Amino acid sequence: MLKWFYSIIIIVAIGLIAFTTFYFYRGDKSGVDIVLKLPEKVMVGEPFMVVIGVTNGSGNILNSARLTLTLPEGMAFAGEEEDKSVQSKNLGDIGVGGLTSQEFRIIALEDTNAGEGLEAGLNYGLVSSASRFEEKKIFSLIVEGSAVDLKIEVPEKTVSNDQFEIKIN
């Protein structure tokens, strides 16, 4: 009978330790938030700015924070290669209650679901832990038609050495 009593006490103690560890592990991460400031609508071919804000509402300093923006297919970073879809920026340490932001210049290359799935990620460490943590958020924006509309009118038939008029609208 005494063995059962000690067994139950050991099981309860292990459960209490596991719960406490999980609670404090989650408590270290809570309060870290990622916010994106996006234009309401964007046009294909027109560069726009995305501002990503990081707020540290936790009770810990975020060490060596690194912000990463991953673009969906059909979007690119303005001034970069078209196939580059990930860009990272080092934020350094973010103090308790700190707020920092970074700007990314982006261009939509096509309007078919191009604005679905912008992913912002924050990777950071804590003073109290050797582990690295990661927060991610996915955002969407509306991509409308092209910023430039070009129409060219030419005659249906032409004869060799004949001059004709081209209308560009």
Side-chain angles (χ1 to χ4, degrees):
M1 184 75 168
L2 198 53
K3 271 186 174 180
W4 285 101
F5 179 72
Y6 286 131
S7 297
I8 291 173
I9 288 180
I10 290 173
I11 291 171
V12 169
I14 290 172
L16 186 60
I17 291 170
F19 174 77
T20 305
T21 303
F22 176 76
Y23 176 78
F24 284 112
Y25 169 77
R26 295 289 300 157
D28 285 343
K29 280 183 65 178
S30 67
V32 176
D33 195 24
I34 301 171
V35 179
L36 253 73
K37 183 179 176 188
L38 301 164
E40 194 171 303
K41 296 177 185 175
V42 298
M43 304 288 283
V44 174
E46 183 178 1
F48 61 95
M49 295 300 288
V50 172
V51 179
I52 302 177
V54 176
T55 306
N56 180 9
S58 72
N60 294 297
I61 296 171
L62 307 184
N63 286 340
S64 303
R66 183 173 183 82
L67 185 63
T68 303
L69 181 62
T70 305
L71 301 178
E73 202 171 308
M75 298 190 107
F77 293 99
E80 300 285 340
E81 293 293 322
E82 187 177 317
D83 60 346
K84 182 178 179 183
S85 62
V86 178
Q87 195 172 71
S88 297
K89 295 186 179 183
N90 289 323
L91 304 178
D93 295 344
I94 303 173
V96 176
L99 169 67
T100 187
S101 64
Q102 289 290 320
E103 293 181 345
F104 295 86
R105 191 166 165 82
I106 299 172
I107 187 167
L109 304 173
E110 56 188 55
D111 63 352
T112 54
N113 301 326
E116 294 181 11
L118 282 123
E119 183 180 287
L122 178 69
N123 185 295
Y124 60 93
L126 299 175
V127 175
S128 60
S129 173
S131 300
R132 299 288 298 171
F133 299 95
E134 191 167 26
E135 295 284 331
K136 286 187 178 181
K137 282 200 175 172
I138 297 176
F139 301 88
S140 295
L141 73 143
I142 299 170
V143 178
E144 291 191 336
S146 180
V148 177
D149 190 20
L150 181 65
K151 292 181 183 177
I152 301 175
E153 294 179 26
V154 295
E156 287 184 32
K157 295 182 181 180
T158 60
V159 180
S160 182
N161 288 334
D162 192 15
Q163 291 186 355
F164 58 90
E165 202 174 290
I166 297 176
K167 291 183 182 179
I168 300 175
N169 297 327

